[in-house]
Amino acid sequence: MSHTFAVWAPDATSVDLVLVRDATGPDDGTRTARAMARADGGWWQLAVSAAGHGSDYLFAVDGGDPVPDPRSAWQPFGVHGPSRLFDPSRHRWSDEHWRGRDVRGALHYELHVGTFTPEGTLDAAVERLDHLVGLGVEVVALMPVAAFPGRWGWGYDGVHLFAVHDPYGGPAALQRFVDAAHARGLAVSLDCVYNHLGPSGNYTSLFGPYFTDRHHTPWGQAVNLDGEGAAEVRRWICDNALRWFRDFHVDALRLDAVHALVDDSERHVLAQLAQETAALADGLRRPLSLVAESDLNDAVMVTPTTEGGLGMTAQWDDDVHHALHALLTGERQGYYADFGSGEVLRTVWREAFWHAGRHSSFRGGDWGRPVPPGTSGHRFLAYAANHDQVGNRATGDRPAAGLSAGEVAGSLALVLTSPFTPMLFMGEEWGCRTPFQFFTDHQEPALAESVREGRRREFAEHGWDADQVPDPQDAATRDASVLAWDEVAEPTHAGLLGWTRDLVALRRREPDLADDDLAEVDVELGPPDETRDDGRPEWLVVHRGEWRVVVVLRTSRADDDATEVPLHATGRVERHWGPVRAEGRTLRLEGPGAALVRTA
């Protein structure tokens, strides 16, 4: 057993490898320091004959305190403790017949490992994979698993990009999870955060210029992608991404807030990553996907690099969410100000973006660019909920907490029959009412208080009662966010689950309902709902080939309990939520609900 330790520290005059033997905690064990040798390109190396899988170590730069490896694969003692070597080849994979899956058009299911089950581990999540198979999920989208401070958290303050959060089970557990998913025909997407690191446990600047003052982001200094030393920082990012594909058999990466990857290089780091991912996919002979979260509303994100684009496979589309959420809830605050009308939803369903050169009142100027004709709708992920749009509300309340079951059914119908790539947020399939709140587990008192007060102050500025904002450091906040799986046994939730399964099955079976041609979509709007003052239509009908997706939005009408929706053709109701009756070319629905009609 032997291992060559290596670390990039271009400006250091000395680097010591600190081996930690027989450690049972971050601060014990026998430590032995050995000088490393300078190598090419600012790297330092040292071969150790008695080191291998399970060996614990740290690095000390220029005689400073020993700290973890910036490329640590395993942090069993937390983000401040020693790193541990991990040999990915020890896992005996059983997915030799897995041929991968292109994520475009496939049903995604976003889940947070720490609250998907009460145990909050990857192994416990495996026990729920059969539920996802029965639902018709095709891509399991994990929120970040990179090592972050404390026991619980969302993972977007991760600081060890190559490590898997140890309370989730560590790197071996992620391999087991992916293997188990593939055995069930499920692809796995992993959320990666390359635009910033968290404030606790980030030691990268002790080693080299990982960050720069040349650019700034909402989190402070930007990652150094175009300054001195940027080549190795870009390799740090690209090597990390390729490692998940190669050593963990992950099928896709969701790249967080890529608009904050500020890069003035001739070749943007996203284009570099797209090209290297494509090369690896050719070598592995299976599709590998990159799904971007972008605030830019610019289809250059999903345009191939050969055509001058950034080469992402697909991107999240918040305009779809905003159009749907504002229409259903009537909320118009903040970035919902320009959304909420039926006309906005119709435009988004046909053009992918509302802000496509239009004025954005939230941003104070024109925003976005039109999607070029012929762009596949499957390049854009559609959702009525996700971790951001639920968890970044003051109380973490889900749409289902304020909507009727019929409105939830209508929301599911619109997303799952859209021309986009659909995504559900864990529990949404049964109209889950438990919140998904923001929670942390910082051990530094000052940082914990800063996060707590910052959260309260932010929502107070937006009109919320600060006393209603859950304390992110309180363990009860995490506990309240754990999925209530026993809800599924309740009649309404069971009914919504069955409705979701039916919609997914229809989308898979009926080409018209999965078609990606935005130009072939039409949305017919009913008259304004007189029970509201926001101009919301009583109903809308999405035309999908020979199918009509009918959604009734109104809550009540004094003179008649039923809403009449013209179909302009005779049709057969294939699936419906709520009392429905077809009368010739007219459909009658009593109260909020939805129906899928195949026209003659």
Side-chain angles (χ1 to χ4, degrees):
M1 183 173 68
S2 66
H3 182 79
T4 298
F5 292 87
V7 66
W8 182 62
D11 298 324
T13 57
S14 69
V15 179
D16 290 335
L17 169 68
V18 179
L19 292 171
V20 183
R21 302 183 187 280
D22 303 322
T24 58
D27 301 317
D28 62 11
T30 302
R31 298 190 175 191
T32 304
R34 298 176 60 177
M36 303 182 74
R38 185 185 293 275
D40 294 338
W43 284 82
W44 298 75
Q45 294 182 344
L46 180 65
V48 178
S49 60
H53 178 86
S55 295
D56 295 333
Y57 67 101
L58 299 147
F59 292 124
V61 179
D62 291 333
D65 292 336
V67 296
D69 183 355
R71 290 182 173 232
S72 171
W74 195 356
Q75 289 294 125
F77 306 121
V79 297
H80 303 287
S83 300
R84 178 170 289 175
L85 293 180
F86 175 74
D87 179 3
S89 68
R90 291 168 62 91
H91 181 76
R92 296 295 177 257
W93 290 93
S94 62
D95 66 349
E96 62 273 8
H97 299 299
W98 175 251
R99 293 295 175 261
R101 184 184 298 280
D102 189 324
V103 301
R104 290 170 292 189
L107 175 59
H108 292 232
Y109 186 96
E110 188 188 26
L111 69 86
H112 174 262
V113 174
T115 54
F116 187 56
T117 65
E119 299 86 350
T121 66
L122 287 157
D123 286 332
V126 168
E127 300 303 312
R128 294 290 183 178
L129 289 180
D130 289 337
H131 166 80
L132 303 187
V133 173
L135 185 63
V137 170
E138 294 162 293
V139 181
V140 183
L142 300 178
M143 287 174 63
V145 301
F148 58 84
R151 178 68 179 90
W152 305 116
W154 279 17
Y156 293 95
D157 54 355
V159 289
H160 291 289
L161 301 186
F162 288 74
V164 177
H165 191 52
D166 204 62
Y168 287 172
L174 180 59
Q175 290 181 316
R176 292 193 297 269
F177 180 89
V178 175
D179 212 358
H182 287 173
R184 293 165 170 80
L186 297 168
V188 177
S189 174
L190 182 62
D191 199 334
C192 294
V193 184
Y194 295 132
N195 52 62
H196 76 290
L197 297 182
S200 178
N202 174 14
Y203 297 101
T204 53
S205 294
L206 297 177
F207 292 90
Y210 283 86
F211 292 85
T212 177
D213 281 324
R214 296 178 65 247
H215 307 295
H216 285 82
T217 73
W219 303 280
Q221 287 184 318
V223 178
N224 176 24
L225 300 172
D226 54 14
E228 184 177 354
E232 284 296 343
V233 179
R234 295 164 73 100
R235 276 266 51 89
W236 177 63
I237 291 174
C238 292
D239 288 350
N240 176 265
L242 299 180
R243 175 175 174 269
W244 299 123
F245 292 134
R246 183 186 61 247
D247 296 343
F248 291 82
H249 294 203
V250 165
D251 302 281
L253 302 180
R254 184 263 189 188
L255 307 180
D256 182 67
V258 297
H259 48 270
L261 293 172
V262 188
D263 185 2
D264 292 335
S265 303
E266 182 176 347
R267 181 174 64 155
H268 196 282
V269 68
L270 290 179
Q272 176 183 344
L273 178 56
Q275 291 167 344
E276 294 187 13
T277 297
L280 181 60
D282 287 342
L284 296 177
R285 301 180 67 180
R286 61 184 175 92
L288 303 175
S289 300
L290 299 172
V291 180
E293 179 198 22
S294 173
D295 188 43
L296 301 179
N297 279 27
D298 192 337
V300 70
M301 190 65 59
V302 295
T303 300
T305 58
T306 55
E307 300 173 19
L310 295 177
M312 300 293 99
T313 312
Q315 73 161 85
W316 281 28
D317 191 337
D318 273 353
D319 279 19
V320 171
H321 170 271
H322 299 346
L324 181 55
H325 182 86
L327 183 71
L328 288 171
T329 66
E331 293 183 7
R332 299 293 187 274
Q333 75 277 15
Y335 47 66
Y336 294 135
D338 299 332
F339 297 88
S341 72
E343 184 58 43
V344 168
L345 186 136
R346 173 161 55 191
T347 300
V348 171
W349 251 243
R350 289 179 57 85
E351 301 177 12
F353 299 141
W354 172 250
H355 290 129
R358 293 182 177 89
H359 180 79
S360 167
S361 59
F362 179 71
R363 298 179 178 90
D366 294 345
W367 195 259
R369 296 173 60 187
V371 172
T375 302
S376 168
H378 289 171
R379 292 280 190 178
F380 305 95
L381 265 67
Y383 36 84
N386 63 36
H387 75 273
D388 268 332
Q389 302 302 338
V390 174
N392 282 327
R393 297 171 64 82
T395 59
D397 54 310
R398 294 169 178 263
L403 298 176
S404 68
E407 290 169 317
V408 173
S411 173
L412 288 164
L414 289 171
V415 168
L416 293 173
T417 64
S418 74
F420 310 111
T421 293
M423 184 175 78
L424 299 172
F425 182 52
M426 60 179 194
E428 184 184 358
E429 66 270 26
W430 71 76
C432 175
R433 293 179 180 270
T434 53
F436 182 71
Q437 299 172 337
F438 181 74
F439 47 88
T440 55
D441 185 28
H442 293 299
Q443 302 304 302
E444 301 91 331
L447 178 58
E449 184 62 22
S450 176
V451 170
R452 181 183 295 116
E453 289 305 313
R455 191 82 175 168
R456 291 165 58 90
R457 182 171 57 253
E458 175 186 357
F459 285 107
E461 292 172 353
H462 289 85
W464 290 84
D465 182 352
D467 292 335
Q468 293 182 344
V469 180
D471 179 359
Q473 284 288 122
D474 188 341
T477 303
R478 177 266 167 183
D479 294 345
S481 301
V482 175
L483 274 187
W485 286 91
D486 55 356
E487 279 186 334
V488 179
E490 300 174 13
T492 299
H493 293 299
L496 283 170
L497 179 58
W499 169 250
T500 303
R501 286 173 174 158
D502 286 349
L503 291 172
V504 174
L506 277 175
R507 181 186 179 94
R508 279 185 167 181
R509 190 172 72 240
E510 299 295 333
D512 282 349
L513 295 178
D515 186 59
D516 66 341
D517 189 347
L518 298 175
E520 292 298 316
V521 179
D522 193 16
V523 181
E524 183 181 354
L525 303 174
D529 184 348
E530 296 178 357
T531 67
R532 301 169 63 104
D533 59 5
D534 56 9
R536 187 179 80 163
E538 283 191 355
W539 51 263
L540 55 88
V541 180
V542 181
H543 294 237
R544 302 283 278 142
E546 65 177 16
W547 287 83
R548 302 292 182 266
V549 182
V550 180
V551 177
V552 170
L553 302 170
R554 72 166 183 82
T555 54
S556 65
R557 184 195 289 166
D559 60 339
D560 190 350
D561 287 336
T563 297
E564 293 188 353
V565 180
L567 296 177
H568 310 295
T570 57
R572 183 174 68 253
V573 178
E574 297 286 351
R575 297 289 188 279
H576 64 90
W577 180 275
V580 173
R581 185 167 70 254
E583 298 179 352
R585 297 187 174 193
T586 300
L587 198 68
R588 294 172 58 87
L589 285 87
E590 298 179 10
L596 270 69
V597 180
R598 188 196 296 269
T599 58

